[in-house]
Amino acid sequence: LPVPNMNIMNGGAHADFATDIQEYMISPYGFETYSEALQAGIEVYHTLKNVLKKQGLATGLGDEGGFAPKMKTNEDSLKYIMDAISAAGYEPGKQIGIALDVASSEFYNKDNGMYHFDGEDRDAAYMLDFYEKLVDEFPIVSIEDPFQEEGWEDWAKITKALGDRLQFVGDDLFVTNPVRLKKGIDMGAGNSLLVKLNQIGTVSETLDAIELATKNGFTSMV
């Protein structure tokens, strides 16, 4: 069954830059039915509001419906989500995982080739190390756009290092384009396709991209 990925905290361009990472999602994958997964996700979302309120944090919403309080670090958002999953009566990493949309092209500086992250300029090696630490510490099952949209070599490195543990989803990288997806498959850059019909423009090309992804062992997030 498809797993609903629910956007419950916002940062980056969607939330007046509460964090660098743009979207924090929950992925309720440990359920037998879609309706149970949906229910669990909704319960965690509402529990998160209470968790944030108890900490004296704002519970206003970002552009895409997630809570968008100001955070001291990118990791703080993950800690509050973990608390909310547990407080809602579910097991993080067994029933519910975490998915991120980093949207790194938003904070990548083409002029110096660096990522402006945590208030400083960081290179791709720093970012890879940061993601590896996150994956070791939290039950992260999916990371979208960990590197900028033309960083093919960096995408290949992270997929080789961590691709057997989680999915690396190409949104800005693939733009639902079978030609760009084929390049990613050939390079081992990413292992999951974000599917947006409006990016490629036709239903047939969208279906071609999904079919190409599936044939080559990629997952698709629609």
Side-chain angles (χ1 to χ4, degrees), residues 104-117 120-127 147-148 154:
S104 60
S105 292
E106 295 286 342
F107 54 82
Y108 177 71
N109 186 337
K110 290 179 182 176
D111 294 332
N112 65 7
M114 303 285 273
Y115 295 91
H116 193 72
F117 191 79
E120 294 185 36
D121 284 341
R122 313 288 195 178
D123 63 11
Y126 175 94
M127 296 303 295
F147 294 106
Q148 55 99 2
D154 298 322

Side-chain angles (χ1 to χ4, degrees), residues 133-151:
K133 286 174 184 169
L134 278 193
V135 171
D136 286 340
E137 189 175 348
F138 298 99
I140 295 173
V141 295
S142 178
I143 299 178
E144 184 180 328
D145 289 344
F147 294 106
Q148 55 99 2
E149 60 206 45
E150 296 301 334

